[in-house]
Amino acid sequence: MRKIAWRSPSNIALVKYWGKRGVQIPENPSLSFTLQASFSEMEISFEEKKGFDMDFYFEGKANEKFKTKIAQFLKSIEENYTFLKNIHLQIHSKNSFPHSAGIASSASSMSALALCICSIGEEILGEKLSAESFLQQASSLARLASGSACRSVYGGAVVWGSTPALPAASDEYAMPLPFEMHPIFQDYRDTILIVSASEKSVSSRAGHALMNHHPFAQVRYQQANSNLVRLIDVLKNGNTESFADIVENEALTLHGLMMNSDPSFILMHPNTLKIIALIRDFRAQTSIPVCFTLDAGPNIHLLYPEKWKEAIQKWIEEELAAFCENRYYIHDCIGKGAELIQ
Ligand code: PMV
């Protein structure tokens, strides 16, 4: 059997994608930082053989739940990727972070899967794409597997979804921010504070569906568009105060939308709010530009410039770790994007 393997990172959205239509088309543009330490590795051995067959191993053990999910996804794309109709795959997947860390792994794992499928396609069809077209195709395929995964194939700051602010941006695939960010943002850090390691109580599919009849949906989509325009400006000019305003507003809006949707979800934990209060106090007292964002869950992503790393990491250990499950947190930072490892 031939073999291909990709390592692909997770990403953290600063302007959130929440609400979709059609085939994974976002209702508003989003912007994320790609991470470095939080990644998935997927290795696929493949053989052209009659019919489709697949084995799936997660962290060395056969996993039927993931196998079914991935087999369904591959079936759904076989009209465009016809080589998948007659192929046998053996997939090994693992994450750099513990499965029980409460970190969503769909962005990293589904982008790794899409990259592997595109590489296998190149090998079987004997057609090598340019690096740019390859990543665009992989991003588009990753989007079909899990929306936010389309941003993980690129490093740095990544935009997905059409916006008048960036004419090349598309709803179908992500693209790296087409300019260099202010130096303060280039090596930004993200410490993920694991407030709860439990599984999410609302799936992202159900979460997006809440927006379909949400009374604030249209206003939210306008707000996301204007936050994106403001954030693009901030990433150019290096204003960390405005960065904190926009990013925290996005995180709290996401949770607000979940709280006032029908049915309603409260995904923050009491310790999430305690930590948010401590972050705001610390920022007011020290003028150190640290801020937070949240995914659709209770864990906090603490964002700060590299130059404040020592002071902030000391403060995390002394004050914030007490509010994390088993004092657990993960230091991460902006990364370079996906990487072919075999
Ligand atoms: O990619 P999905 O369908 O898991 O949705 C991700 C939604 C958020 O993480 C809350 C926001 C985002 O843009 O990543």
Side-chain angles (χ1 to χ4, degrees), residues 11-20 24 28-32 104 106-107 142-143 145-151 160 200 203-205 208 254-255 258 294-297:
N11 70 74
I12 179 67
L14 306 177
V15 174
K16 309 288 182 183
Y17 147 59
W18 199 240
K20 63 179 172 183
Q24 301 272 87
N28 63 260
S30 57
L31 188 152
S32 55
S106 63
R143 179 195 108 237
S146 168
S148 58
C150 75
R151 299 185 306 240
W160 168 39
K200 292 199 285 186
S203 70
S204 91
R205 180 197 292 260
H208 289 287
L254 171 70
H255 281 257
M258 283 187 281
L294 304 159
D295 261 339

